[in-house]
Amino acid sequence: MSSHGPVPPGEPAQPVPSDTPAPPADFSFDLDAHEMLRRTHVLAALGSDWDPVAAMRGEEEAYDLLYSGLSPEQQRIHDELVAAGVLPRRGGRDAAA
């Protein structure tokens, strides 16, 4: 096209200087459909006999075993980690509580 002809659609009317930064691109992703598909697959993998309450109870029992029988030094470190918010507070003062 000649420099005097009409400007094609989508092109600027005036030339853009080469040192002008391009405007930021606007990207947006809708992950709702993917998230629903992921949840469907997770629930299918767990099976119809999965009991979330029993799973949580089993997890609590595992933590009770993990933190039972600590030596005084281990108990002190555990208490420091709980006080610092690194480990969750559980039951009474005893780590196995």
Side-chain angles (χ1 to χ4, degrees):
M1 275 198 152
S2 72
S3 61
H4 302 294
V7 177
E11 290 189 21
Q14 298 292 328
V16 178
S18 62
D19 60 342
T20 302
D26 182 25
F27 291 104
S28 63
F29 296 98
D30 183 7
L31 298 176
D32 290 342
H34 178 71
E35 178 62 15
M36 292 307 296
L37 180 62
R38 185 193 68 79
R39 289 180 185 188
T40 300
H41 286 295
V42 167
L43 290 175
L46 290 172
S48 60
D49 60 340
W50 179 63
D51 182 4
V53 174
M56 290 298 293
R57 192 174 300 121
E59 188 173 322
E60 290 296 319
E61 290 171 2
Y63 277 114
D64 290 345
L65 285 174
L66 179 64
Y67 295 119
S68 66
L70 298 178
S71 70
E73 176 68 8
Q74 291 169 328
Q75 184 67 52
R76 183 189 63 75
I77 293 171
H78 177 272
D79 293 342
E80 287 178 8
L81 292 172
V82 169
V86 176
L87 293 175
R89 187 169 306 280
R90 301 170 38 83
R93 185 193 160 334
D94 185 5

